Amino acid sequence: MDGEVFEKLAGEMRRGTVILAALSQLSEEQYGYSLISSLEEQGFVIGQDTLYPLLRRLEEQGVLESEWRVADEARPRRYYILSDEGKKLYSLLKKEWEELDSILRRLME
Amino acid sequence: MTLTKEARNYLDRYLSQVKRFLPKGKREDIAAELESYMLDRLEERGREVSISGEDMKAELVKMGAPRNVAATYAPVNTLIAPELFPLFSLITRIVLIVVAVAIPFGVLIGVLTDPAGTRDLWEIVAELVGGVWSGVTSALGTLVIIFYLISRLDHKEISSEQVWNPDDMPELSKDEVPGVWDIAIGTTLTLVFLGFLAYLYTHDGMLPIINTGSDLSLSVSLPGMMPYLPAMALISLLSIVKDSVIMAQGYWSWMTRMFDIVLDVANLVIAGLLLGAMPIMEFVAREGVVPAGFSEAERAVNLGITIALVLALLGQTVEIIKSVIRLIKAETGVPKFDIPEAK
């Protein structure tokens, strides 16, 4: 029961951080799989079923730009990068997160 | 990395199924991105690895059931489920056309069977506009309600604990996108056929003279075909246009499927008209008299043409039925990436 509740609450908490985590890696262009791998390497596990719809939503909101391109491989991939608006939004969200973090640290001391 | 034929088939069937549950405007792009992701994931196994059907099946099970994967992209509840929308759209168009034609026809019959002419023009116009408006809105409303109810009753996701089986996915539609060679061969054959039609047209339906070596010179005449030559030429040209459009698009769209059905129906009509005009072939003597034996040959050739036309009629009917089924299923092709197939 405890484990179940923990999983549910931890999942809710993580969901709120997914956008910030994804945006943090998109100042340089990345395709979906490379983004999943780069987040995973740094300890942030995210599934394609969460990331891909999120990337599309962020692109529709003008936060990201994307294009299909053939880079080093002979296969097209869709590359995402922060738009100018997205860069501004990311720095605002980052600031918001830092404030929340410091508040929570104080609260939990 | 290479994919075996079996692996490629599983992947194509999977993407085709995911697309069924996605909104029309986004399905090609989302499917292409999912395919790209799957291939990236498989590439992790190494560049020299060949992916078998079983490997692909295991990956697809991990990805999740097509309906569930599609649901992550389109979580917003639509009035009509995306997978039902092509069918809804098709039936709605047919019903609206029938209503829009039937009501004015009914009004016209009413006017013609009213010899006393009790109604003036404005009454008739009001009846026509009112009838079409109420007919169209009630038909549309009824269809929306029916499809809404089907969408709600049919909408079930596969729970994450439940393992889905990729072998349950239906096979891909057999109609393939024509390649450059198909178009080239098709165009060449059509040009030869057009040349034949043009020859007939300019020679009053007479084929070249057969010199029997004696004092008899014969011509094969096809007068029964003459009225249909322009239509046959047009259908042939449109068929090339259709194949070229499909090749350029890389998949069968709703429009090209409709176009295909229209051409099949046109061919069916031509075959029916030619059958009605039988016998269409006769031997005509240019010099001398046609011997009695030639009328037997004439009958035999005409019998052969009749059998060929009957077979063409049946074949076209089957093609039309298949095309309509494909249209209803609305299975469009998936843009394939350039992944070598394993030997």
Side-chain angles (χ1 to χ4, degrees):
Chain A
M1 175 68 183
D2 278 355
E4 231 175 83
V5 174
F6 168 77
E7 280 302 322
K8 197 177 164 205
L9 294 178
E12 274 176 31
M13 208 160 69
R14 272 198 296 266
R15 260 198 295 282
T17 61
V18 167
I19 294 176
L20 196 57
L23 295 184
S24 73
Q25 304 300 300
L26 286 169
S27 49
E28 283 174 20
E29 61 177 13
Q30 302 235 36
Y31 54 92
Y33 189 76
S34 70
L35 182 54
I36 290 176
S37 305
S38 108
L39 287 167
E40 217 170 88
E41 274 165 22
Q42 295 167 77
F44 198 97
V45 179
I46 184 170
Q48 61 81 26
D49 53 342
T50 305
L51 185 74
Y52 279 82
L54 172 70
L55 291 175
R56 299 187 78 85
R57 206 174 73 231
L58 290 172
E59 191 189 13
E60 280 165 14
Q61 289 168 344
V63 179
L64 299 178
E65 286 167 357
S66 82
E67 67 168 334
W68 279 98
R69 218 177 53 240
V70 180
D72 48 339
E73 304 285 338
R75 183 156 58 79
R77 289 190 176 105
R78 188 179 193 142
Y79 286 84
Y80 291 91
I81 193 163
L82 283 174
S83 64
D84 290 341
E85 282 300 305
K87 283 175 192 160
K88 285 180 208 158
L89 185 83
Y90 171 58
S91 57
L92 286 175
L93 285 174
K94 196 174 157 193
K95 207 171 148 200
E96 184 72 16
W97 172 258
E98 283 161 358
E99 278 174 25
L100 270 175
D101 180 50
S102 67
I103 293 168
L104 281 170
R105 277 177 197 279
R106 270 204 310 277
L107 286 173
M108 289 188 292
E109 262 170 17
Chain B
M1 179 195 63
T2 54
L3 298 182
T4 60
K5 261 192 183 141
E6 211 189 348
R8 179 79 247 178
N9 179 266
Y10 272 121
L11 182 56
D12 286 347
R13 281 158 66 196
Y14 184 77
L15 295 171
S16 168
Q17 285 302 299
V18 173
K19 286 199 296 184
R20 281 187 59 221
F21 302 104
L22 289 170
K24 198 176 175 184
K26 294 179 179 176
R27 60 174 64 143
E28 295 302 330
D29 198 43
I30 291 175
E33 197 165 21
L34 277 176
E35 181 177 4
S36 172
Y37 168 77
M38 288 292 297
L39 297 174
D40 280 331
R41 210 164 117 151
L42 291 166
E43 224 161 53
E44 287 280 290
R45 300 182 182 199
R47 282 177 180 274
E48 303 306 317
V49 173
S50 168
I51 305 296
S52 69
E54 287 304 309
D55 295 335
M56 185 61 84
K57 253 171 79 175
E59 281 298 318
L60 295 178
V61 169
K62 277 188 220 160
M63 280 286 284
R67 188 193 284 259
N68 294 4
V69 171
T72 62
Y73 287 92
V76 181
N77 258 345
T78 49
L79 199 59
I80 294 163
E83 71 269 25
L84 289 176
F85 200 79
L87 182 62
F88 167 75
S89 171
L90 179 70
I91 293 179
T92 303
R93 279 177 238 200
I94 294 169
V95 168
L96 291 186
I97 288 169
V98 170
V99 168
V101 170
I103 290 174
F105 189 70
V107 172
L108 183 70
I109 297 288
V111 171
L112 293 175
T113 55
D114 179 23
T118 50
R119 289 175 297 175
D120 65 18
L121 180 67
W122 290 112
E123 261 182 276
I124 295 166
V125 170
E127 189 186 337
L128 183 69
V129 173
V132 170
W133 174 254
S134 62
V136 164
T137 48
S138 59
L140 191 60
T142 309
L143 282 172
V144 169
I145 291 168
I146 291 170
F147 274 86
Y148 167 77
L149 291 174
I150 296 172
S151 302
R152 295 285 82 81
L153 292 173
D154 187 48
H155 194 78
K156 46 187 181 291
E157 283 189 20
I158 296 173
S159 80
S160 51
E161 289 84 29
Q162 194 181 337
V163 176
W164 75 282
N165 186 356
D167 283 321
D168 293 339
M169 293 188 295
E171 283 296 333
L172 284 175
S173 146
K174 293 281 180 273
D175 51 338
E176 288 172 0
V177 173
V180 178
W181 280 108
D182 297 322
I183 300 285
I185 293 168
T187 307
T188 310
L189 292 176
T190 305
L191 288 175
V192 171
F193 183 60
L194 285 173
F196 170 70
L197 295 181
Y199 184 91
L200 281 182
Y201 195 72
T202 52
H203 290 78
D204 293 328
M206 304 278 263
L207 287 177
I209 292 168
I210 303 166
N211 199 336
T212 59
S214 62
D215 55 350
L216 177 66
S217 171
L218 284 175
S219 220
V220 175
S221 176
L222 295 160
M225 274 180 77
M226 286 301 283
Y228 312 114
L229 293 183
M232 288 164 82
L234 183 66
I235 293 169
S236 302
L237 286 172
L238 288 177
S239 178
I240 295 178
V241 171
K242 178 204 72 184
D243 284 348
S244 308
V245 169
I246 296 165
M247 189 189 73
Q249 283 183 330
Y251 59 91
W252 285 77
S253 64
W254 190 87
M255 281 300 287
T256 45
R257 282 186 196 285
M258 277 303 284
F259 195 28
D260 192 44
I261 293 172
V262 169
L263 289 179
D264 281 345
V265 171
N267 276 320
L268 186 78
V269 171
I270 293 284
L273 289 170
L274 286 175
L275 202 58
M278 287 302 293
I280 56 170
M281 178 268 177
E282 61 191 32
F283 287 115
V284 177
R286 292 286 179 90
E287 284 171 38
V289 179
V290 180
F294 274 83
S295 58
E296 286 301 316
E298 207 175 86
R299 265 197 292 277
V301 173
N302 276 312
L303 180 65
I305 297 174
T306 306
I307 292 169
L309 286 172
V310 169
L311 290 176
L313 269 172
L314 292 174
Q316 285 299 327
T317 309
V318 171
E319 273 306 306
I320 291 167
I321 293 168
K322 275 160 67 180
S323 301
V324 170
I325 291 170
R326 285 183 203 129
L327 185 71
I328 291 169
K329 281 186 178 172
E331 276 192 3
T332 49
V334 181
K336 287 187 179 66
F337 294 136
D338 190 18
I339 292 294
E341 207 169 70
K343 297 271 184 294

